[in-house]
Structures are given as structure tokens and as C-alpha cells.
Amino acid sequence: MSKGMYVPKESQSKQGGGAAKAKDGKRKIVAQNKKARHDYAIIDTYEAGLVLTGTEVKSLRQGRASLTDGFVQIDGNEAWLHNAHIPEYSQGTWTNHTVRRKRKLLLHREEIDKLASKSEETGHTIVPLALYFKDGRAKAEIALARGKKEYDKRQTLREKQDRRESDRAIAAAKRKQRGE
């Protein structure tokens, strides 16, 4: 297509070659907090947008982040993600970000109010579960959670192990039945 040539809008999208991406809603997970699922009983989950700098986004796109010690705090009607470790971008210059700075979470007002009231109850906290990209935007999955006691953790591990053993036994029986 030559410069200055008029092309109707209907035919612009059919020509291809553009930077348009299909929005299929796929999630590209960057980091997960498996320890949170072990230490806490998840009550409710929320998806929140993240306010990030350019070098933080580039570092996340390289798949580098950790949520192990992270937590969410409601402060002045805003949600903040604390202690999430996003390492410095390797090609960054003096504009590089601070590794463990607090980052603003983007939630609806009623979600923030609900989280604030629930987190003030005894034993409840807000923890990050995952960082991921959805339609090219950085998102955080956060959860309202209640801390587990030691015996609850052992019970969960026991149930998981029993489920795994029964799945193995069923798979072995199916293989034997097929004659493998």
C-alpha cells in the first residue's frame, strides 16, 4: 500500500501485516506463590491490575519475579502490593526500578472496601497468588485468606498424597486391563 493512498476501514483489517493481536484471554504466568496455598486457606480470589514502570514490565516479560514474601495492604482506600521481588532489568540504565518497592493494585472500589473490612477480621489477610500477563497487561491474582494451623497443613498434605496414590492405582489398573 503506497503512502497517502485512501483505504476504507473495512478493508484495513483484512490486509494483515498490522500489529493487531487476537485477544484470546490467555494467561502467561510469570510467578506463582505456592507457599501461600500451603500456609493459607483461600477464601476468595480477585484479579487486580498492577501499576508498573517500564523496566518492571520488561523484567516480568523475561519471566523473572518472586511473590514468596509478598502481601497486600489496604492503605487510604488503595490496595498496595508489598515485598514482591521483581529483579532489575538487565539492559536497564539509571532509570531502573527499585527491586522491592510497593506497587499499586488496581481494583474496583467495592472490591477494595470488601477486602478492607474482611482483612480487619482476626486471622484474615490478603496474599498474592500469581503474577501473569493477560491480553498484554500485567495482572496479579490476590486472595483473601485465613492462616492454617499446623494440623490443617498436615491434613491437606495427607489428602493430596492419598489422592495421588489413588490416581496412580487407577492408572495402573487401566494399563493392566489394556494389557500394557
Side-chain angles (χ1 to χ4, degrees):
M1 180 166 61
S2 65
K3 188 174 180 182
M5 184 176 154
Y6 172 75
V7 179
K9 281 213 180 261
E10 301 84 44
S11 62
Q12 283 179 358
S13 62
K14 295 177 187 174
Q15 291 181 0
K21 293 182 181 177
K23 295 198 176 195
D24 52 2
K26 298 272 183 179
R27 290 178 14 158
K28 180 187 174 233
I29 295 179
V30 177
Q32 285 187 326
N33 190 355
K34 293 180 181 178
K35 186 178 177 185
R37 294 196 185 271
H38 179 263
D39 292 342
Y40 298 98
I42 306 301
I43 298 170
D44 203 5
T45 61
Y46 299 90
E47 181 180 66
L50 281 165
V51 177
L52 300 172
T53 63
T55 55
E56 286 174 325
V57 174
K58 290 180 179 187
S59 186
L60 283 177
R61 288 204 188 279
Q62 289 179 340
R64 300 167 52 203
S66 174
L67 294 172
T68 305
D69 299 326
F71 63 95
V72 176
Q73 192 173 33
I74 307 294
D75 185 30
N77 291 330
E78 293 179 339
W80 295 89
L81 176 63
H82 293 268
N83 263 0
H85 184 268
I86 300 176
E88 287 186 347
Y89 181 55
S90 56
Q91 282 85 34
T93 59
W94 59 272
T95 60
N96 237 336
H97 62 278
T98 308
V99 175
R100 287 197 184 266
R101 72 177 186 92
K102 68 178 189 176
R103 295 163 177 95
K104 188 174 181 181
L105 294 174
L106 304 173
L107 291 163
H108 291 284
R109 169 66 48 220
E110 44 290 347
E111 291 174 336
I112 292 173
D113 292 342
K114 183 178 178 184
L115 283 170
S117 65
K118 291 285 188 178
S119 67
E120 289 172 1
E121 293 178 14
T122 307
H124 288 84
T125 187
I126 309 166
V127 292
L129 298 178
L131 282 178
Y132 55 91
F133 283 99
K134 182 177 177 184
D135 295 333
R137 303 205 189 274
K139 303 282 185 179
E141 182 180 18
I142 61 173
L144 180 65
R146 184 178 354 94
K148 286 184 182 177
K149 303 284 187 207
E150 195 62 37
Y151 57 84
D152 289 334
K153 294 177 191 177
R154 285 194 299 266
Q155 180 66 26
T156 303
L157 288 173
R158 192 174 303 119
E159 289 171 359
K160 191 175 181 180
Q161 184 178 2
D162 291 345
R163 197 174 324 113
R164 191 178 302 131
E165 287 175 3
S166 66
D167 289 344
R168 283 184 187 148
I170 291 170
K174 286 182 180 179
R175 277 196 306 271
K176 186 176 179 182
Q177 187 179 28
R178 287 189 302 228
E180 291 180 2

